[in-house]
Amino acid sequence: MTTSTPVSPSARTAPPLWRDPATLGYAFANGVSQIGDEIWFVALAYTAAQLGDAGLAGLVLACATLPRALLMLLGGALTDRLDARRMMITSDIARIVVLGVALAVLAAQGVSAGLLIVVGFLFGVADAFYGPACSSFPRQLVPKDQLVRLSALRQLISRFAGVLGAPIGGLLVAGYGLGGAMLTDALSFAVILVVLILVRPRWPRAKSTGVSVRADVRDGLDYLRRTPRVRDLVITLSGLNVFVSPVLSIGLALHVSANGWGAAGLGWLSGAIGVGAAAGTVVAMRWRPRRPLRAALLLLLGQAAALVLVGFASYSVTMGAMIVVGIVAGLASPLLSGAFQATVDEEYVGRASSILSVTDDGLAPVAMAAFGFLAKATSLATATTAFGLCFAALLGYALSRPHVRDLRLDGGTGPESDPDTRAEQPADRTAG
């Protein structure tokens, strides 16, 4: 049984994304908030390291990520029961209050490990509730056929936020200390808070009305079991970081070190990924393939081949491979993200997003350790080849599933698909 959030009857259509000030404002405000996040994490890690305990920085960052992992499923269940926009507003207010109290404590007592740990922990709690709500809110802002374009815009803004936030954070800590970074972060939360108060959802969202939050968590897990299209999407999306991230983080660094290309060489290779991703995301804003998942999966086969090259290629070939990795990521990520949001039944978006996040966070450390062990026990080339082939096999599995391969954002799938795999598409979500 589901219910819907009341929405103005006149809000039945949305203007094209580029002429939609509400959605554009929301996307750019999210970017400002992400810059604040980058500033905070740089300030947090640097300040912890400056306290002189080598293990403190890791402890502080762990305290920021652990509650998010533990509470993410609860946050997803609450998102599907409550109003996503109000959950984001509440989370932003909570973070502003936490930073305000922290600034007062900092002024009175100075920097301490306890202060950093408490703030990091409370931010992790807030993230566990904000993240699933943020994932579900776009379904109430734009029609389904605009989700990929909105996802591309948000990812492009996010990439620039990542590039700008870290150096700004370093400059703020150097010039104004931890307090300057905290104040700037609080201002970034205030920006998105104001925008969320002003931006209203255009469409109602079906909500869960289970007997309890605990029952909703169980139902969310069972939803994956009984819904093949979503289960296979989660398996596919979870595998992206499992097979890609270890090669790009550990493998690329080992390859550069073994060939004596130096830190500058690694920097240029990493920069090529970022530039390629930005270019790919710009193209994704205009590209609207009829079957977005098929297009994304076929593109990612090229990325799998590029990952294999990291184990033995020359610098120029590795550079070309990193450009391919970046461009494919920029093209495929919005297609995958938009298709995921459009495919999951809307009363399960929060829970499905939280399950994906928890799976991603849980598998990533295991994959990193496995890649490092394999590279040490055999060779870097063997490790990158194994991970590239496993990634290709995962993509092959997804392409073999008709309800994934042939999914369309207009709510249809290929003729061979089971009717149960058809994505829900309310009539009033058609683009105006």
Side-chain angles (χ1 to χ4, degrees):
M1 182 177 180
T2 60
T3 61
S4 298
T5 303
V7 173
S8 169
S10 63
R12 294 299 183 185
T13 60
L17 182 61
W18 304 120
R19 297 199 299 272
D20 184 356
T23 304
L24 291 175
Y26 170 69
F28 282 100
N30 262 314
V32 173
S33 178
Q34 288 170 342
I35 290 175
D37 290 340
E38 293 289 337
I39 290 171
W40 168 245
F41 280 115
V42 168
L44 188 68
Y46 179 80
T47 305
Q50 290 298 106
L51 291 177
D53 186 342
L56 180 59
L59 176 62
V60 167
L61 292 177
C63 287
T65 56
L66 183 61
R68 182 180 64 193
L70 293 176
L71 296 173
M72 186 66 75
L73 292 179
L74 174 61
L78 287 174
T79 294
D80 289 334
R81 291 177 71 91
L82 306 175
D83 183 273
R85 172 173 160 271
R86 290 179 181 175
M87 282 188 65
M88 289 189 288
I89 289 173
T90 302
S91 296
D92 280 326
I93 292 174
R95 289 189 281 196
I96 292 172
V97 170
V98 167
L99 286 171
V101 173
L103 282 168
V105 172
L106 180 66
Q109 301 179 6
V111 180
S112 67
L115 175 64
L116 298 180
I117 289 173
V118 169
V119 175
F121 178 85
L122 293 175
F123 266 33
V125 172
D127 287 343
F129 297 97
Y130 187 91
C134 187
S135 296
S136 67
F137 190 54
R139 287 281 293 264
Q140 295 183 267
L141 281 182
V142 297
K144 277 191 176 183
D145 62 0
Q146 290 288 317
L147 282 170
V148 168
R149 187 166 292 178
L150 175 58
S151 178
L153 174 62
R154 291 181 62 187
Q155 289 189 31
L156 182 63
I157 293 172
S158 179
R159 295 185 194 283
F160 281 110
V163 171
L164 294 173
I168 292 174
L171 291 173
L172 281 171
V173 174
Y176 302 97
L178 180 63
M182 283 184 172
L183 181 60
T184 304
D185 196 19
L187 292 174
S188 75
F189 289 132
V191 170
I192 185 63
L193 175 62
V194 170
V195 172
L196 284 171
I197 291 172
L198 295 175
V199 173
R200 300 282 179 168
R202 291 191 171 100
W203 291 280
R205 181 173 65 92
K207 296 180 183 178
S208 170
T209 56
V211 296
S212 68
V213 174
R214 182 178 179 181
D216 278 355
V217 172
R218 290 197 302 268
D219 184 42
L221 295 170
D222 189 55
Y223 172 69
L224 296 189
R225 180 190 62 79
R226 66 178 187 263
T227 314
R229 71 184 190 277
V230 179
R231 181 187 63 232
D232 289 333
L233 268 177
V234 169
I235 291 172
T236 303
L237 294 175
S238 298
L240 299 185
N241 282 336
V242 167
F243 296 118
V244 176
S245 295
V247 177
L248 296 183
S249 56
I250 301 172
L252 192 60
L254 290 175
H255 191 44
V256 168
S257 177
N259 287 279
W261 295 334
L266 179 60
W268 282 110
L269 291 172
S270 299
I273 299 174
V275 172
T281 306
V282 170
V283 175
M285 291 183 194
R286 306 290 300 176
W287 187 34
R288 300 177 66 180
R290 188 178 180 187
R291 290 179 170 84
L293 282 174
R294 177 188 290 182
L297 294 170
L298 290 174
L299 284 168
L300 287 169
L301 287 172
Q303 190 177 84
L307 295 178
V308 173
L309 296 176
V310 173
F312 52 82
S314 65
Y315 188 82
S316 58
V317 174
T318 304
M319 176 65 76
M322 293 304 97
I323 293 173
V324 169
V325 166
I327 291 174
V328 169
L331 284 168
S333 292
L335 296 175
L336 293 169
S337 177
F340 180 80
Q341 291 181 29
T343 301
V344 177
D345 294 318
E346 60 183 28
E347 64 267 34
Y348 288 97
V349 172
R351 280 167 287 180
S353 298
S354 66
I355 291 170
L356 181 59
S357 296
V358 170
T359 304
D360 214 15
D361 291 343
L363 291 177
V366 177
M368 293 286 186
F371 181 87
F373 175 81
L374 183 60
K376 182 178 180 180
T378 57
S379 67
L380 178 60
T382 300
T384 58
T385 300
F387 270 61
L389 290 176
C390 287
F391 186 30
L394 174 69
L395 298 172
Y397 167 79
L399 285 167
S400 73
R401 312 296 285 174
H403 47 259
V404 174
R405 180 187 67 226
D406 297 325
L407 183 141
R408 301 196 305 267
L409 295 191
D410 60 4
T413 55
E416 62 276 85
S417 298
D418 185 86
D420 180 60
T421 66
R422 297 176 70 86
E424 169 271 337
Q425 172 68 49
D428 60 27
R429 289 181 183 272
T430 303

